[in-house]
């Protein structure tokens, strides 16, 4: 909250001149019929996105050259506020001249940028950003219709913040990398949730299947669980667990080697020093107790323990 | 031409009220001071108080706390019952309606976070609550019933006296948000028998930042703003010129009531008839249950903000109960409560007149409206779908 947030402003005053011009007189408003398409040797594509019940819906008409897949003309109709009309108008214009595949790369962010009067000033206030998000979706619908495929094949990942077009994968990566705990921290690294804010938490403009707060919580829970399950460092273990770990290595990795020569080893004691290093006191039995190479065996046991327990803080002493 | 038709939101100050307001600025002495300058102010405030008590038929033994607005009064009433609940009262239930202004819905949502319970009564096709449903909802632990006098969106008038009688039959306190009542209806506090009544001067051609909270003698009340002014019921220096101007505004509102109920109502009807002549357009709430200045209409296929935009371009200022013009994206909850589907709820426009609305202005709106509707339906993808082939 800051001074600028204390007085609600008139959102219309924050519209760019380009937005206002297109709200007042959209250039690509209209429709195409099959006859129009036939006259221009083109294929007609008609796609809808959104719904009246949600307050925003758009229908896109394309005439596509079937030989080159190039969009030769576009029109739209819209049920929506002025920003939706202006965005749809710009979206239709941006698709003209592109191939269908190139058009699918156009996002709402491209539309919003194209509507700016100057590069550094947004074309409309953040809470109206959602009105432009249909631009991408209706293009995908149209492209899918043209290619006769499922629109999900074109959408390559789950978008959580539609306004800023940030995917779940990107958010999860940021949360992990920067150990993000709050929305404010997340927004230091991404624009997710800074526009219409619907994706931040339940209760915003629109209902969403997943919210940023949930993702942050889920990823943090997962990270905690991973941390919990991560094998503990030998140095950080309690003395009891150190003894258990040493016993296991002696039993599983050392005994079988010594047994081949008829020897064995017995753990006598484990002494912990102030620096958390340990002295492992062992006693040989069988052939080992009389072996001339007992010194080498001692070295082998120490190296095996160090290697298995990923530490160099073990010293093995024969008693 | 500029035509202001958003009077349920706020009204221009009457010139006579403005004059008194500006003059009263000179009365800067504190009413609680003992020197002569304070006495002068005190006399003006006392006189204003007398006027308001008379004009609203408030019994002398009851309190009228001057507030900043209806919103403040509404919060004070709801939080009084929260205070009682947190102090050990077993009364934790509030009954209100789906048609309330956010100044009731917001504090109700707040008290719920402390464990109080809130029931919202539905409204019928005329925007009115069902008295039987109200009676069914009353429980042993019901502390308060809060129902608005009339809706700022649909203009629907609630059966306040009946609600009051039901509430008192069960020993429940009754609050009425009267923000839309004064200047459109005759308000007689004694007759309607409410325990609390809230209002704002700027809704009836008075200044902004001043309103009233009526509290019946014996009804519980905990100050929202603590201090020794107003009998310890509302702290803060008395807003002298606001009170004096509000009294004048109420007096003028009552004087012009007949004019509003006949002449302004006629202009409203003229506008409404013209709207209804436009195809696929609908208006709501039977006129006998509706404020005389209000018409709420839906225009199939036209999203509310785009209609407001086009009206604004031609100098007509109206309101939308939905969405895109505000920070919310939902359709008008009031239209949905009147039985409309969500897609129609996004198309609602509210025209609210005042006693200063002229026939010439209404004629102008009637002239510009059909071409606007035509233009926006040309843009509309959804209207194209319903257009007959």
């Amino acid at each position: 909250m800051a001074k600028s947030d204390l007085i609600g402003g008139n959102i219309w005053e924050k519209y760019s001149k380009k937005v206002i011009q297109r709200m007042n007189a959209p250039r690509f408003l209209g429709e195409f019929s099959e006859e129009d398409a036939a006259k221009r040797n083109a294929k007609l594509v008609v796609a809808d996105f959104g719904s009246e019940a949600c307050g925003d819906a758009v229908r896109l008409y394309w005439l596509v050259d079937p030989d080159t897949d190039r969009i030769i003309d576009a029109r739209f109709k819209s049920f929506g506020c002025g920003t939706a009309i202006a965005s749809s108008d710009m979206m239709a214009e941006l698709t003209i001249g592109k191939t269908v595949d190139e058009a699918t790369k156009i996002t709402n962010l491209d539309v919003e940028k194209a509507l700016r009067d100057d590069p550094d000033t947004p074309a409309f206030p953040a809470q109206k950003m959602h009105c432009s998000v249909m631009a991408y979706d209706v293009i995908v619908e149209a492209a899918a219709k043209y290619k006769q495929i499922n629109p999900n094949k074109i959408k390559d990942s789950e978008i959580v913040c539609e306004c800023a077009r940030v995917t779940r994968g990107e958010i999860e990566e940021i949360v992990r990398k920067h150990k993000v705990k709050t929305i404010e921290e997340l927004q230091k690294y991404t624009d997710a949730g800074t526009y219409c804010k619907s994706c931040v938490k339940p209760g915003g403009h629109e209902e969403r299947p997943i919210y940023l707060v949930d993702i942050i919580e889920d990823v943090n829970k997962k990270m905690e669980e991973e941390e919990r399950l991560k094998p503990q460092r030998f140095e950080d273990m309690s003395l009891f667990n150190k003894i258990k770990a040493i016993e296991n290595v002696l039993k599983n990795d050392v005994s079988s080697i010594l047994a081949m020569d008829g020897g064995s080893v017995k753990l006598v004691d484990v002494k912990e020093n102030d620096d958390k290093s340990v002295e492992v006191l062992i006693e040989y039995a069988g052939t080992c107790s009389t072996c001339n190479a007992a010194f080498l065996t001692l070295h082998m046991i120490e190296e095996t323990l160090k290697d298995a327990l990923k530490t160099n803080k073990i010293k093995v002493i024969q008693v | 031409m500029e035509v202001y038709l958003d009077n349920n939101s706020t009204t221009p100050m009457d010139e006579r009220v403005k004059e008194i307001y500006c003059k009263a600025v000179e009365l800067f002495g504190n009413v609680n001071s003992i020197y002569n300058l304070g006495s002068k102010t005190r006399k003006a405030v006392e006189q204003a108080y007398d006027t308001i008590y008379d004009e609203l038929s408030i019994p002398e033994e009851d309190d009228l706390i001057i507030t900043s607005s209806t919103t403040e009064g509404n919060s004070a009433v709801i939080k009084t019952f929260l205070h009682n609940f947190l102090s050990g009262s077993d009364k934790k239930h509030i009954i209100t309606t789906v048609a309330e202004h956010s100044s009731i819905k917001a504090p109700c949502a707040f008290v719920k976070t402390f464990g109080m319970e809130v029931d919202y009564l539905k409204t019928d096709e005329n925007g009115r609550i069902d008295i039987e449903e109200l009676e069914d909802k009353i429980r042993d632990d019901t502390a308060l019933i809060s129902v608005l006098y009339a809706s700022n969106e649909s203009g629907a008038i609630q059966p306040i006296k009946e609600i009051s009688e039901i509430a008192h039959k069960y020993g429940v306190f009754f609050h009425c948000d009267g923000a839309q009542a004064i200047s459109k209806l005759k308000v007689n506090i004694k007759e309607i028998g409410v325990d609390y009544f809230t209002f704002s001067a700027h809704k009836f051609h008075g200044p902004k930042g001043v309103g009233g909270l009526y509290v019946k003698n014996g009804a519980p009340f905990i100050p929202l703003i603590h201090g020794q002014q107003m009998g310890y019921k509302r702290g803060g220096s008395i807003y002298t010129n606001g009170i004096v101007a509000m009294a004048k505004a109420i007096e003028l509102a009552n004087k012009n009531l007949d004019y509003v109920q006949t002449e302004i109502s006629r202009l409203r009807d003229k506008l409404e008839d013209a709207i209804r002549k436009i195809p696929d357009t609908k208006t709501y709430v039977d006129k006998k249950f509706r404020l005389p200045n209000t018409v709420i209409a839906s225009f199939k296929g036209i999203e509310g903000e785009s209609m407001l935009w086009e009206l604004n371009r031609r100098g007509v200022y109206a309101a939308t109960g939905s969405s895109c013009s505000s920070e919310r994206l939902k359709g008008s909850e009031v239209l949905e409560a009147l039985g409309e589907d969500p897609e129609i709820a996004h198309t609602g426009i509210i025209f609210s007149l005042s006693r200063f609305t002229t026939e010439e202005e209404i004629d102008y709106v009637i002239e510009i409206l059909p071409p606007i509707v035509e233009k926006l339906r040309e843009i509309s993808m959804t209207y194209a779908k319903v257009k007959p082939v």
Side-chain angles (χ1 to χ4, degrees), chain B residues 43-175:
Chain B
K43 267 182 201 152
V45 171
E46 278 170 0
Q47 207 176 347
Y49 249 90
D50 287 344
T51 303
I52 302 171
Y53 268 71
D54 286 349
E55 294 291 340
L56 300 182
S57 303
I58 299 174
E60 282 201 9
E61 66 269 24
D62 300 344
D63 290 332
L64 177 69
I65 300 158
I66 302 299
T67 60
S68 63
S69 63
T70 307
T71 298
E72 184 194 317
N74 289 351
S75 264
V77 173
I78 302 293
K79 286 186 179 175
T80 288
F81 290 90
L82 172 65
H83 175 271
N84 289 355
F85 171 63
L86 295 177
S87 305
S89 165
D90 57 356
K91 303 272 186 187
K92 62 173 183 186
H93 181 226
I94 292 175
I95 301 173
T96 184
T97 81
V98 294
E100 296 304 306
H101 188 264
S102 59
S103 59
I104 282 293
K105 285 184 174 168
C108 279
F110 176 74
V111 300
K112 276 173 79 174
T113 63
F114 291 90
M116 291 192 79
E117 291 168 21
V118 183
D119 265 323
Y120 293 90
L121 301 172
K122 295 190 298 287
T123 53
D124 63 15
E125 71 281 4
N126 279 313
R128 285 161 65 93
I129 62 159
D130 178 355
I131 291 291
E132 278 181 25
E133 191 197 355
L134 167 67
E135 206 162 349
D136 286 348
K137 286 266 192 302
I138 296 174
R139 316 187 314 208
D140 288 344
D141 61 354
T142 302
L144 178 75
I145 294 167
S146 180
V147 177
L148 80 174
Y149 207 127
S151 163
N152 56 312
E153 292 190 42
S154 70
I157 302 164
Q158 300 296 344
I160 294 301
K161 200 176 170 188
E162 273 180 80
I163 298 167
S164 187
E165 283 165 2
I166 297 280
H168 294 148
K169 185 170 131 188
Y170 292 95
V172 177
F173 291 102
F174 175 43
H175 164 246

Side-chain angles (χ1 to χ4, degrees), chain A residues 71-319:
Chain A
I71 300 153
I72 59 173
D73 214 344
R75 293 286 181 272
F76 79 98
K77 289 227 165 191
S78 160
F79 172 91
C81 63
T83 327
I85 293 169
S87 300
S88 302
D89 198 47
M90 179 56 85
M91 174 270 296
E93 181 177 341
L94 290 177
T95 64
I96 297 171
K98 291 192 171 62
T99 64
V100 170
D101 283 340
E102 284 166 355
T104 60
K105 307 285 181 253
I106 299 168
T107 70
N108 58 304
L109 297 174
D110 300 320
V111 171
E112 188 273 323
K113 280 190 182 134
L115 286 167
R116 291 182 183 192
D117 290 336
D118 72 81
D120 299 326
T121 311
F124 33 73
Q127 73 262 34
K128 300 292 280 182
M129 193 68 183
H130 80 281
C131 302
S132 70
V133 301
M134 287 186 307
Y136 171 78
D137 291 299
V138 79
I139 288 172
V140 167
E141 288 289 326
K145 274 200 170 177
Y146 179 72
K147 295 170 153 225
Q148 295 183 319
I149 57 171
N150 188 314
N152 290 333
K153 286 200 169 171
I154 299 174
K155 290 183 181 183
D156 53 3
S157 53
E158 185 188 356
I159 302 281
V160 176
C161 175
E162 290 180 343
C163 300
R165 302 211 66 75
V166 183
T167 65
R168 182 173 184 143
E170 287 166 334
I171 294 162
E172 287 184 348
E173 196 184 320
I174 289 166
V175 173
R176 279 182 176 280
K177 191 173 169 191
H178 301 284
K179 298 191 168 45
V180 165
K181 301 271 185 215
T182 65
I183 291 290
E184 291 73 24
E185 286 168 23
L186 178 70
Q187 287 171 347
K188 281 185 205 162
Y189 307 102
T190 171
D191 282 344
T194 55
Y195 295 103
C196 84
K197 297 184 173 61
S198 291
C199 61
V200 173
K201 59 183 177 186
H205 299 316
E206 293 167 350
E207 256 181 60
R208 291 292 166 85
I210 184 80
Y211 295 94
L212 295 176
V213 288
D214 298 329
I215 297 173
I216 294 174
E217 193 185 327
D218 285 353
V219 174
N220 273 292
K221 269 190 191 156
K222 267 186 210 158
M223 286 165 67
E224 278 166 28
E225 185 65 8
E226 286 162 8
E227 192 60 34
R228 202 177 61 77
L229 295 174
K230 216 163 71 178
Q232 207 179 358
R233 278 188 348 138
F234 181 78
E235 288 87 336
D236 298 334
M237 288 179 187
S238 65
L239 181 59
F240 176 80
N241 284 340
K242 280 177 178 166
I243 295 169
K244 296 288 282 180
I246 291 166
E247 274 178 345
N248 278 339
V249 176
L250 290 178
K251 186 179 157 198
N252 298 327
D253 302 331
V254 176
S255 295
S256 55
I257 299 170
L258 299 184
M260 285 193 288
D261 294 325
S264 69
V265 65
K266 189 179 154 198
L267 181 65
V268 178
D269 199 4
V270 176
K271 286 183 181 167
E272 192 173 46
N273 301 317
D274 290 344
D275 67 351
K276 302 287 177 190
S277 64
V278 291
E279 290 173 359
V280 178
L281 308 183
I282 58 156
E283 198 178 276
Y284 287 132
T287 52
C288 289
S289 55
T290 54
C291 179
N292 290 335
F295 172 74
L296 288 175
T297 305
L298 197 68
H299 180 71
M300 181 275 288
I301 294 171
E302 188 174 293
E303 286 306 306
T304 304
L305 280 169
K306 281 180 177 174
D307 192 46
L309 299 173
K310 293 185 175 52
T311 181
N312 58 5
K313 295 203 167 188
I314 289 178
K315 185 174 173 57
V316 179
I317 299 166
Q318 185 191 354
V319 292

Side-chain angles (χ1 to χ4, degrees), chain B residues 274-302:
Chain B
I275 291 170
R276 291 174 77 113
K277 278 184 192 144
I278 301 172
D280 296 320
T281 296
K282 204 168 153 188
T283 62
Y284 301 84
V285 182
D286 193 311
K287 282 177 195 164
K288 68 173 179 281
F289 301 127
R290 188 165 17 126
L291 291 173
N293 74 322
T294 306
V295 55
I296 178 167
S298 63
F299 299 87
K300 202 173 220 169
I302 300 174

Side-chain angles (χ1 to χ4, degrees), chain A residues 11-12 15 20 23-24 29 48 52-55 57-59 77-82 127-128 130 205-206, chain B residues 301-303 305-306 308-309 312-313 324-325 327-329 342-343 346-347 375 378-382 385:
Chain A
I11 50 170
W12 287 352
Y15 290 174
I20 290 169
M23 282 165 73
N24 291 341
L29 169 68
D48 289 349
E52 272 177 293
C54 298
V58 63
R59 176 176 293 171
K77 289 227 165 191
S78 160
F79 172 91
C81 63
Q127 73 262 34
K128 300 292 280 182
H130 80 281
H205 299 316
E206 293 167 350
Chain B
I302 300 174
E303 198 276 335
E305 192 209 344
S306 52
L308 277 196
W309 175 265
N312 176 69
R313 288 178 70 199
C324 261
S325 53
E327 299 248 335
R328 299 179 312 135
L329 301 179
E343 53 263 39
H346 279 284
T347 75
K375 178 192 167 181
E378 270 301 304
I379 295 175
S380 174
M381 66 166 279
T382 50
K385 277 198 266 187

